Amino acid sequence: MKLADRRTTKYVTEVKKIVRLRGHANNAEILADLRENYPDVSATTIHRVTQRLYEDGELRKGPACLDGSVRYDSNTERHDHFMCTMCGQVRDVSIPQACLSIIKCNVEDCSISGPLTVSGVCDSCKKMWREEE
Ligand SMILES: [Zn+2]
Ligand SMILES: [Zn+2]
């Protein structure tokens, strides 16, 4: 085993733990969390680890973050998301099959293959708005 591989292996467990704790996280968030315990860890290492976990099916990709970065998801079951367009937070939701059928009718001959993302404003952003008024 090459030294670089061994080092990566050590972080795999840590990265899995962080994503499970956060539910969803991008490489930058994982890196920031990991650096609290491992100040020397590099962005390239995290990139390699998340890519490997994704390829192994241990992580899924959720809706992209507002800055366009890949958001990893610890929930590997098929599920839909609500995403706040103000803060970019996502929440797992499950859209009933009946709704999917209605949507399917409206996309005509295209078929829905991937999970859905419903966009809107989350509760805490709504509260912030109200407080500013
Ligand atoms: Zn929000
Ligand atoms: Zn999710």
Side-chain angles (χ1 to χ4, degrees):
M1 203 193 254
K2 279 183 291 172
L3 183 66
D5 285 342
R6 208 179 312 154
R7 215 180 284 150
T8 308
T9 311
K10 183 175 80 174
Y11 295 126
V12 168
T13 330
E14 296 296 319
V15 168
K16 274 203 282 192
K17 216 189 290 170
I18 290 169
V19 183
R20 206 179 315 132
L21 220 69
R22 285 175 164 270
H24 308 88
N26 65 10
N27 282 334
E29 289 168 328
I30 296 167
L31 183 66
D33 279 9
L34 206 55
R35 278 207 171 138
E36 287 177 15
N37 293 318
Y38 305 93
D40 297 332
V41 66
S42 74
T44 320
T45 304
I46 300 308
H47 198 91
R48 214 181 290 144
V49 171
T50 47
Q51 186 61 31
R52 188 205 280 185
L53 286 169
Y54 172 69
E55 279 162 14
D56 291 348
E58 301 240 30
L59 292 181
R60 243 180 122 105
K61 281 182 187 169
C65 298
L66 290 183
D67 63 2
S69 61
V70 177
R71 184 188 329 248
Y72 291 98
D73 196 332
S74 64
N75 181 355
T76 52
E77 303 287 313
R78 189 209 175 281
H79 63 281
D80 306 299
H81 290 98
F82 171 84
M83 178 166 163
C84 175
T85 51
M86 295 191 72
C87 66
Q89 292 289 354
V90 297
R91 193 191 302 162
D92 287 352
V93 291
S94 139
I95 303 200
Q97 201 57 44
C99 295
L100 286 180
S101 308
I102 298 171
I103 297 170
K104 259 183 209 138
C105 293
N106 288 283
V107 294
E108 293 172 0
D109 50 352
C110 302
S111 61
I112 306 170
S113 53
L116 300 181
T117 304
V118 181
S119 52
V121 181
C122 76
D123 243 18
S124 42
C125 286
K126 252 192 284 183
K127 268 187 210 122
M128 236 157 48
W129 259 359
R130 266 184 237 125
E131 275 160 27
E132 274 168 25
E133 275 169 10

